[in-house]
Amino acid sequence: MIESNALRHDTPPLVAALDVTAKAGLVMLLVMSLLYPDLGNVEDKAAGLRAAAYPMLAFTVPLVWWVFWRERASFPWVADLLITSTCFTDTLGNRLDLYDSVVWFDDLMHFMNTGLITAAIILLTMRHSSTLAAVVERSLAFGVTAAVGWEIAEYFAFISKSSEKRHAYADTLGDLALGSIGAVVAGVVVHRLWRRGLLMSAAPQLEPYVGSRSAVEPTAATG
């Protein structure tokens, strides 16, 4: 049963619309890539692994919110959109063949998507009173780990079996550097937005929560 005094913020219409649209688009693109690998431009690019991992990642926040947070807080739309965007932009980039046709697109994705998902983790796990040093520390801890994990998965999923293997070392170093920089930039941006009074309702599950009993019982001062 949902508590009547659970912390609720107004749903941001634009963010919610973008989030739902990105999720729907992601599912549609993944289904298309499985049915028509050539059309999705993911042939020999671990299409099956992406089809399994991306929906799990995109729907993690809704699942966690439903199980643990829905009785005490409104839905964290901004963080969920950031996470969903990482999956959607990668899938859309493959669908439009941007990875092969635009030389800098892969670099942009490593920088931007590591930054986006790091920003989401900061919003979901840190209070807006956190210091810049603490935010940067978590940005590096998560962002670098995520970048390394992605490169390992990418290597074993398809690079080790393709002609790209010869150039994988240099490419991996560049991707790790871009991902790490993206994570730090994301942390600094989030911290500055907090200091300007923005994103204050982005992680309602971290805000103080008053139990239903104390909310309805009169205090001694009121008699």
Side-chain angles (χ1 to χ4, degrees):
M1 179 178 179
I2 298 178
E3 300 285 357
S4 59
N5 64 322
L7 183 60
R8 302 293 170 192
H9 293 290
D10 293 336
T11 299
L14 178 60
V15 175
L18 290 174
D19 192 19
V20 173
T21 301
K23 278 180 165 53
L26 172 66
V27 172
M28 180 184 69
L29 289 172
L30 288 174
V31 170
M32 184 180 298
S33 68
L34 285 177
L35 296 176
Y36 310 103
D38 292 336
L39 185 61
N41 294 308
V42 290
E43 190 174 14
D44 299 324
K45 293 185 178 181
L49 182 60
R50 292 174 192 265
Y54 282 0
M56 290 176 59
L57 184 60
F59 288 94
T60 292
V61 171
L63 177 61
V64 172
W65 175 81
W66 180 263
V67 175
F68 298 106
W69 299 339
R70 67 188 178 97
E71 293 188 358
R72 59 163 297 164
S74 53
F75 187 75
W77 286 102
V78 174
D80 190 50
L81 173 61
L82 293 174
I83 293 174
T84 303
S85 296
T86 64
C87 304
F88 176 71
T89 54
D90 178 70
T91 307
L92 182 63
N94 277 303
R95 172 64 183 86
L96 298 177
D97 199 27
L98 296 179
Y99 282 99
D100 294 326
S101 62
V102 180
V103 66
W104 47 262
F105 187 77
D106 180 68
D107 293 337
L108 174 63
M109 287 294 98
H110 281 280
F111 173 83
M112 184 183 76
N113 283 347
T114 305
L116 290 177
I117 198 167
T118 298
I121 294 301
I122 292 172
L123 291 175
L124 291 171
T125 63
M126 301 191 75
R127 299 182 185 279
H128 48 70
S129 58
S130 301
T131 65
L132 177 60
V135 172
V136 171
E137 180 182 23
R138 185 158 302 182
S139 298
L140 284 170
F142 175 81
V144 174
T145 302
V148 170
W150 175 264
E151 291 302 317
I152 292 174
E154 192 176 63
Y155 179 82
F156 284 105
F158 60 90
I159 291 181
S160 62
K161 306 178 184 66
S162 73
S163 59
E164 297 180 22
K165 183 178 180 179
R166 292 176 298 172
H167 311 289
Y169 181 71
D171 183 66
T172 296
L173 289 179
D175 292 344
L176 288 175
L178 287 168
S180 300
I181 295 171
V184 173
V185 170
V188 173
V189 170
V190 169
H191 187 267
R192 288 190 175 181
L193 291 175
W194 279 341
R195 290 299 170 265
R196 294 184 179 184
L198 302 174
L199 297 179
M200 293 301 181
S201 62
Q205 78 282 356
L206 297 180
E207 298 180 36
Y209 173 68
V210 180
S212 58
R213 183 177 179 182
S214 60
V216 297
E217 287 186 354
T219 63
T222 59

